[in-house]
Amino acid sequence: MATEGDVELELETETSGPERPPKKPRKHDSGAADLERVTDYAEEKEIQSSNLEMAMSMIGDRRSREPKAKQEREKELAKVTIKKEDLELIMTEMEISRAVAERSLREHMGNVVEALIALTN
């Protein structure tokens, strides 16, 4: 029912599925994707370098602690008193050097039986 001055507009409707917004032209998508890859690569390199630095510092810390721990252990072992008879017994029975026999006795707090068992195992 249109009159002289009215204009009829026809609306197009799709009957197949939900309405979708019109697709926008993609002019610079490939450039954005390339830029994203470059920034991802740069970020990964930064993460790897920081992890490497952290690992190197941990190794350095461990290397500085190991000699200190060995010195402390040697001091503790030096405090252990051993009997000369026990030392000679282990040397003759096991046919080992004086240093090895002494070390074994000191590690087992002068206990001859434990030192012998450790040397035979």
Side-chain angles (χ1 to χ4, degrees):
M1 315 229 154
T3 57
E4 259 181 56
D6 292 339
V7 177
E8 285 188 36
L9 296 175
E10 290 185 25
L11 297 175
E12 294 181 17
T13 59
E14 289 185 22
T15 57
S16 61
E19 291 185 27
R20 294 182 184 157
K23 293 183 179 180
K24 295 179 182 178
R26 296 181 178 183
K27 293 181 181 178
H28 300 287
D29 282 347
S30 64
D34 290 341
L35 182 61
E36 185 68 26
R37 276 189 242 124
V38 168
T39 56
D40 288 346
Y41 179 76
E43 290 171 355
E44 288 175 11
K45 284 293 187 185
E46 289 174 4
I47 290 170
Q48 289 174 353
S49 67
S50 67
N51 288 344
L52 180 63
E53 290 171 5
M54 187 170 56
M56 292 298 287
S57 68
M58 290 174 65
I59 290 170
D61 291 344
R62 186 178 297 155
R63 283 187 180 169
S64 65
R65 283 183 281 172
E66 287 176 358
K68 290 178 186 177
K70 285 182 182 179
Q71 286 177 347
E72 291 295 319
R73 176 78 174 144
E74 291 300 320
K75 285 180 183 178
E76 289 176 18
L77 290 178
K79 292 177 184 177
V80 175
T81 56
I82 55 174
K83 296 179 183 174
K84 185 176 182 179
E85 302 87 33
D86 295 340
L87 180 64
E88 290 175 0
L89 173 73
I90 291 176
M91 286 172 48
T92 56
E93 292 298 319
M94 299 299 293
E95 297 180 357
I96 57 176
S97 68
R98 181 178 202 86
V100 174
E102 186 176 343
R103 177 73 178 199
S104 179
L105 269 172
R106 289 188 188 280
E107 286 177 350
H108 294 93
M109 301 302 178
N111 188 330
V112 178
V113 176
E114 288 180 13
L116 284 169
I117 291 171
L119 287 169
T120 56
N121 289 338

